[in-house]
Amino acid sequence: MIQTECGIFAIISKTNNDSGQLLKNLRKLQHRGRESFGISWFNDGLYDSKFMGVITDEHIDIPLTSTNESNKSDVIYSKNWLGHVRYSTSASIQKLNFSQPIISKKYGFSLAHNGNIPSSVWSKITLKYKYNLSSQDTTDTYVLHGLMETLLSRGISMIDVLKHIIENIEGVYSLVISTVNKTYICRDRFGVRPICYAFGEDVIYISSESCALPNDITAHYDVGPGEIIEINNDLLTVNTIYKYANVNANFCIFELIYFMRDESIVDSLYVKDFKNYIGKILAEQFLQKEFDKDGAIVCGVPQSGILYGTSFSSHCKLDYVQFLERNNNYHLRTFILKTNKQRLEACKQKYCISTDIENKKVILVDDSIVRGNTLKHLISLVKSYKPKEIHFIVASPPIKHTCSYGVDFADIEELIANQLSIKEMVEYFGFDSLTYLDIDKIKQLDFTNKQFCNACFTGNYLF
Ligand code: SF4
């Protein structure tokens, strides 16, 4: 099964907008997927447009046009836009065809999906509902789309189709379904991936993360696990039309550790506060070791390790020095790249050392170690500046298991913490010490009222 980590943004408005408005907000979710993006809209019909790569200034500044009968280009306007940024896990599926949203002209809906429905569930669905997949039905989103069309063709209403999905499909999905009159937001019973909505003036926004909402939005609402929200596109009213009775909420802890932007807020939890708290715990763990602080400096690995690093240093009462800098023109997240060669080449271009660290005890802090390829090169780079010691702090427990719910870490044998013990990792990377976040701390994040999925650390899968 194809796995994706994606971002969704939708605008439902009383007034017409061009495509630039949607793309401007959708670009704020680009960290969730850089392989391709797509948009759909309703005006005199249902249409879509898909693009490989990332959203550029040109995409935003030059609105989409259609060609009229006199062969002139008309700017496309709509009150109802849906957009999606996509990341896929396999080179063989880097196709525009698999970009989302996926529209159904026949049944008048457009579907955007963030999450993953594992293959085992997929097989059960196709058997149970007795529908045949066409050759293009090779992503979980196409399976869902096919299922929705099959059920709609049997005269079942859209609301009942969505209830059916929540009640019968054990998978991870935050869905936005756009129709001409109504827009639906539907979240699986585990609530693994985020999705929220917010009101502006004569407009409703839907977003995977609050960071992508316009700056003047001061409040947003998270859709609950197993909840279906219905938006009336004309009246801009929002109603919960269904809640699954036996939810088993388990938000993805890795969303907070890595994916979500620091400025995002989910279920009243600020990602920034979460990272500061983890930095404090890491400091408490590190201070239990014997360590002479003399000549020690702390540095977060840009950008994902910086908040953890600053919090760690202040709780350890150590100087924070951002000696490791990232090339400003470099934006790729290396685990999103497809081959080792690509990742190693990317790492060489990604970092530089901007401060003298010779004979210093350097403590580097980062969010996670996945394959370790980037880190290996990074440590070689740091070593070439002759520090006295290198200590490495990781803001997550060791990632020993793959994710079935929409995050593409690697195959299990590529996960370095699955292959090597901590002692072996210290030798392999050439650290003086390696500190991972204690798994028990993740299980007891008592400052939140949330329960988290931790399957990639523990192997305890939700289903
Ligand atoms: Fe998130 Fe890990 Fe659970 Fe996947 S397995 S949903 S990455 S916590």
Side-chain angles (χ1 to χ4, degrees), residues 68-81:
N68 64 26
E69 282 168 4
S70 40
N71 255 354
K72 284 193 184 149
S73 290
D74 286 337
V75 171
I76 294 168
Y77 290 100
S78 173
K79 295 174 183 171
N80 186 346
W81 291 93

Side-chain angles (χ1 to χ4, degrees), residues 23 98 100 139 216 234 249 281-282 284 286-287 356 375 408:
L23 290 172
F98 296 128
Q100 301 179 34
T139 69
D216 59 345
D234 295 322
I281 294 185
L282 288 166
E284 287 165 6
F286 187 72
L287 291 176
D356 182 14
L375 185 56
D408 170 37

Side-chain angles (χ1 to χ4, degrees), residues 36-307:
S36 63
F37 64 98
I39 57 179
S40 70
W41 63 94
F42 283 90
N43 43 34
D44 59 343
L46 170 58
Y47 303 93
D48 68 346
S49 200
K50 293 176 178 176
F51 309 81
M52 291 305 288
V54 296
I55 302 165
T56 63
D57 289 345
E58 285 73 31
H59 291 121
I60 292 169
D61 295 340
I62 306 169
L64 272 186
T65 56
S66 61
T67 308
N68 64 26
E69 282 168 4
S70 40
N71 255 354
K72 284 193 184 149
S73 290
D74 286 337
V75 171
I76 294 168
Y77 290 100
S78 173
K79 295 174 183 171
N80 186 346
W81 291 93
L82 174 59
H84 185 272
V85 287
R86 178 173 192 264
Y87 163 63
S88 75
T89 63
S90 154
S92 63
I93 51 146
Q94 288 182 44
K95 286 184 186 168
L96 213 47
N97 229 8
F98 296 128
S99 296
Q100 301 179 34
I102 303 173
I103 64 171
S104 168
K105 284 198 179 257
K106 188 169 179 189
Y107 295 99
F109 73 89
S110 176
L111 169 69
H113 169 214
N114 176 29
N116 183 49
I117 301 173
S119 310
S120 51
V121 180
W122 181 19
S123 316
K124 277 191 232 160
I125 297 169
T126 50
L127 271 179
K128 179 168 178 181
Y129 297 99
K130 296 190 177 59
Y131 76 93
N132 295 320
L133 299 176
S134 69
S135 59
Q136 67 173 174
D137 292 336
T138 45
T139 69
D140 50 359
T141 314
Y142 267 107
V143 175
L144 264 181
H145 184 266
L147 174 64
M148 288 172 70
E149 286 197 327
T150 302
L151 295 178
L152 290 167
S153 75
R154 295 175 190 171
I156 299 171
S157 70
M158 181 60 88
I159 293 174
D160 285 336
V161 167
L162 298 179
K163 283 184 193 170
H164 220 80
I165 287 173
I166 289 190
E167 285 167 3
N168 291 284
I169 298 182
E170 269 195 334
V172 168
Y173 42 87
S174 285
L175 307 174
V176 177
I177 299 102
S178 178
T179 72
V180 68
N181 298 317
K182 305 275 173 62
T183 303
Y184 301 91
I185 317 171
C186 173
R187 199 171 175 210
D188 65 83
R189 66 185 87 157
F190 304 98
V192 175
R193 301 277 154 240
I195 188 90
C196 67
Y197 63 91
F199 296 93
E201 204 180 322
D202 288 339
V203 59
I204 293 175
Y205 303 102
I206 303 170
S207 180
S208 288
E209 282 185 51
S210 62
C211 68
L213 296 169
N215 293 339
D216 59 345
I217 298 294
T218 51
H220 71 269
Y221 306 89
D222 295 286
V223 178
E227 186 171 9
I228 302 172
I229 297 276
E230 182 186 75
I231 297 168
N232 181 310
N233 295 349
D234 295 322
L235 303 175
L236 296 187
T237 51
V238 175
N239 285 302
T240 294
I241 52 169
Y242 177 79
K243 267 191 176 173
Y244 186 71
N246 300 312
V247 294
N248 178 15
N250 279 273
F251 190 69
C252 168
I253 191 77
F254 212 70
E255 286 277 352
L256 293 168
I257 289 172
Y258 179 84
F259 270 107
M260 295 183 88
R261 301 288 300 221
D262 294 346
E263 60 271 32
S264 283
I265 306 165
V266 61
D267 293 334
S268 308
L269 173 64
Y270 285 71
V271 175
K272 203 165 44 173
D273 289 349
F274 169 85
K275 292 188 174 179
N276 281 327
Y277 178 79
I278 297 295
K280 175 175 166 263
I281 294 185
L282 288 166
E284 287 165 6
Q285 282 183 228
F286 187 72
L287 291 176
Q288 284 171 9
K289 300 183 180 189
E290 268 186 32
F291 179 72
D292 177 3
K293 290 183 181 178
D294 193 33
I297 54 169
V298 179
C299 175
V301 177
Q303 288 292 317
S304 48
I306 291 178
L307 251 184

Side-chain angles (χ1 to χ4, degrees), residues 372-415:
N373 296 327
T374 310
L375 185 56
K376 183 89 176 146
H377 178 78
L378 177 66
I379 298 305
S380 311
L381 177 72
V382 172
K383 281 198 166 171
S384 66
Y385 286 78
K386 302 192 173 64
K388 190 172 175 190
E389 294 171 12
I390 300 178
H391 302 268
F392 203 81
I393 312 287
V394 193
S396 68
I399 298 171
K400 294 185 174 182
H401 307 272
T402 55
C403 171
S404 305
Y405 311 137
V407 175
D408 170 37
F409 289 129
D411 292 334
I412 195 155
E413 60 276 5
E414 289 182 278
L415 294 171

